[in-house]
Amino acid sequence: MLDKASKIYVAGHHGLVGSAIWNNLQQRGYTNLTGRSHQELDLTDQVAVKRFFDEERPEAVVLAAAFVGGIMANSLYRADFIMMNMKIQCNVISEAYAHGVEKLLFLGSTCIYPKNAPQPMKEDCLLTSPLEYTNEEYAIAKIAGLKMCESYNLQYGTNYLAVMPTNLYGPNDNFHLENSHVMPAMMRKIYLAKLIHEGKWEMIAVDLNKRPVEGVDGSSQSDDIREILAKYGIYDNKVVLWGTGTPLREFLWSEDMADASVHVLLNVNFSDIIGIEKYSSVHYGASTSGAVDRNHSAGRGGAIPKLGEIRNCHINVGTGKELTIRELSELVAKAVGFEGTIEFDASKPDGTMRKLIDVSKLHSLGWTHKVEIEEGVKRLFDWYRSTL
């Protein structure tokens, strides 16, 4: 079991989820935390990752680092999405095992589920039909990650868990228009369209200096700014968004996701997920330190016959509630104070039409969300404004 002195490595601790997990752990009194920025440690570099684990020797790992983006980025950088994420996962999980890490939590995404999966999506619908094409590479990488955790547990008796969050938003979200997710992109577009209409070019300059768009920043000429923003559907009091606005989406406040993740890390074991109380005694050695006995051979070969087939051990994390993209745009407009026009370009892809997850497994493990979408949208805009 992890205690307050346990060293916990949070991979991706500057990101949307990783930073929230780091803060949540600190608030709970877990202060022996370690993290590295991408500049300090390239997780795609196997040698560097091994060196980090040799030096730090963490007792637990939260793998929240990933190469991420929205529909546009997924379409443009398909090779990067599968290769970068597979490298990160393979390096961190293999070194965690090699260094005797007691507990590992892998963060995936609900994009792992088939495009036409029955709604709401239960964990058991994984790999039952084709994926959504626009994010297939990212989804395949994440499926591989959760299967790594599952397979290490079955072969080596490790205690690696995988959580699959729905669409996340919150502090430290990515608002760069080229590769951000739907809500922050939408929020920034609506905010900039409002500023253009109000003629507040000094505030537009502040925004673009903080987050330039394709090299255009606050020092650029107003015509150049208008031109680059128009490329992203941002006009004077008007915003054009991709798709029809009809897809349904579920959103989870990132600090809620962090709380769920830490809850699972601290309170849930693989034996709880598969519902076999004796699993741990079958797999784990009798080490008084609680560490896995690497020489213990029971169950090796990937299965314990008496337990039957074990799969889909990951945990969905979300709210179990959804709204349309159009409804989301209305909530964002209200939070921003935008009274202009929001149009939808139906010639652009919608992505998956519905992505609601079943969160009954998560609820059975003792956790439910706290922040509803209306409040969360307001909080996100307040945070965004605070960064300018």
Side-chain angles (χ1 to χ4, degrees):
M1 292 294 293
L2 300 176
D3 58 34
K4 298 293 175 66
S6 297
K7 177 177 278 192
I8 302 174
Y9 168 44
V10 182
H13 73 297
H14 287 320
L16 172 65
V17 182
S19 61
I21 289 174
W22 182 285
N23 292 337
N24 189 284
L25 283 165
Q26 285 191 323
Q27 289 164 8
R28 292 174 184 244
Y30 291 80
T31 55
N32 191 8
L33 308 179
T34 185
R36 295 289 187 277
S37 68
H38 178 67
Q39 289 71 30
E40 294 170 322
L41 174 61
D42 179 359
L43 293 176
T44 67
D45 183 338
Q46 186 176 13
V47 174
V49 174
K50 181 182 185 302
R51 186 184 307 118
F52 168 79
F53 274 85
D54 286 344
E55 294 170 355
E56 291 294 328
R57 298 281 172 174
E59 294 160 80
V61 171
V62 176
L63 182 42
F67 187 75
V68 299
I71 291 177
M72 183 183 296
N74 274 272
S75 300
L76 292 174
Y77 310 118
R78 300 182 74 90
D80 290 346
F81 270 87
I82 192 165
M83 185 60 73
M84 299 285 280
N85 284 298
M86 288 293 289
K87 283 183 177 180
I88 291 169
Q89 296 162 193
C90 287
N91 290 341
V92 174
I93 293 173
S94 64
E95 291 304 327
Y97 172 71
H99 290 80
V101 165
E102 180 182 340
K103 196 84 173 278
L104 182 143
L105 183 70
F106 172 74
L107 276 72
S109 165
T110 53
C111 72
I112 62 170
Y113 293 119
K115 179 176 182 178
N116 298 314
Q119 304 288 319
M121 298 179 290
K122 293 180 177 291
E123 287 85 356
D124 288 344
C125 73
L126 180 67
L127 297 176
T128 56
S129 61
L131 299 163
E132 161 59 42
Y133 181 74
T134 58
N135 64 4
E136 192 173 41
E137 281 70 21
Y138 183 71
I140 288 172
K142 288 300 182 182
I143 292 169
L146 74 88
K147 284 295 182 181
M148 284 182 217
C149 294
E150 195 174 278
S151 300
Y152 267 83
N153 292 343
L154 292 173
Q155 184 170 347
Y156 297 120
T158 49
N159 199 11
Y160 300 168
L161 301 177
V163 289
M164 300 296 126
T166 189
N167 300 291
L168 300 174
Y169 68 106
N172 295 312
D173 217 332
N174 176 14
F175 283 81
H176 290 276
L177 296 179
E178 295 99 314
N179 58 5
S180 56
H181 284 118
V182 59
M183 191 188 299
M186 179 188 294
M187 185 170 285
R188 188 178 181 196
K189 289 176 181 180
I190 290 173
Y191 174 62
L192 288 171
K194 179 175 183 282
L195 294 183
I196 293 173
H197 180 65
E198 294 172 349
K200 295 181 177 177
W201 288 95
E202 72 285 353
M203 295 179 69
I204 294 173
V206 170
D207 184 280
L208 291 176
N209 282 332
K210 178 73 175 182
R211 300 175 179 87
V213 181
E214 295 188 23
V216 174
D217 60 20
S219 66
S220 303
Q221 296 296 316
S222 60
D223 286 347
D224 293 334
I225 291 175
R226 285 181 184 271
E227 182 179 354
I228 195 64
L229 293 184
K231 178 180 176 180
Y232 290 90
I234 305 165
Y235 305 93
D236 182 344
N237 219 30
K238 185 178 83 169
V239 171
V240 179
L241 303 175
W242 278 30
T244 63
T246 57
L248 288 156
R249 288 291 182 272
E250 174 183 14
F251 293 94
L252 179 67
W253 182 244
S254 61
E255 292 173 333
D256 269 357
M257 172 58 198
D259 195 60
S261 298
V262 175
H263 175 82
V264 170
L265 179 69
L266 300 179
N267 302 299
V268 179
N269 295 307
F270 184 64
S271 55
D272 301 320
I273 301 300
I274 62 176
I276 305 293
E277 292 182 4
K278 293 183 179 180
Y279 172 83
S280 57
S281 65
V282 170
H283 266 89
Y284 296 108
S287 168
T288 56
S289 68
V292 175
D293 180 351
R294 303 299 179 189
N295 298 314
H296 191 61
S297 61
R300 291 230 173 181
I304 304 172
K306 68 179 181 180
L307 300 185
E309 294 185 352
I310 295 175
R311 55 165 58 94
N312 303 328
C313 303
H314 56 285
I315 307 165
N316 287 340
V317 181
T319 65
K321 301 178 180 181
E322 60 189 344
L323 78 168
T324 67
I325 296 297
R326 185 179 296 275
E327 289 170 334
L328 175 64
S329 72
E330 292 167 357
L331 286 180
V332 172
K334 182 178 179 182
V336 173
F338 179 71
E339 296 180 352
T341 303
I342 297 176
E343 296 179 2
F344 286 87
D345 182 356
S347 70
K348 296 293 194 297
D350 271 326
T352 306
M353 292 306 295
R354 195 180 181 206
K355 281 180 62 177
L356 180 66
I357 56 172
D358 184 300
V359 289
S360 56
K361 181 188 285 189
L362 178 66
H363 289 175
S364 73
L365 295 169
W367 190 91
T368 56
H369 76 282
K370 300 173 183 64
V371 179
E372 300 295 351
I373 185 69
E374 295 83 2
E375 175 63 24
V377 168
K378 294 176 186 174
R379 289 194 194 183
L380 182 62
F381 184 60
D382 287 344
W383 180 85
Y384 179 68
R385 288 292 306 277
S386 74
T387 67
L388 299 177

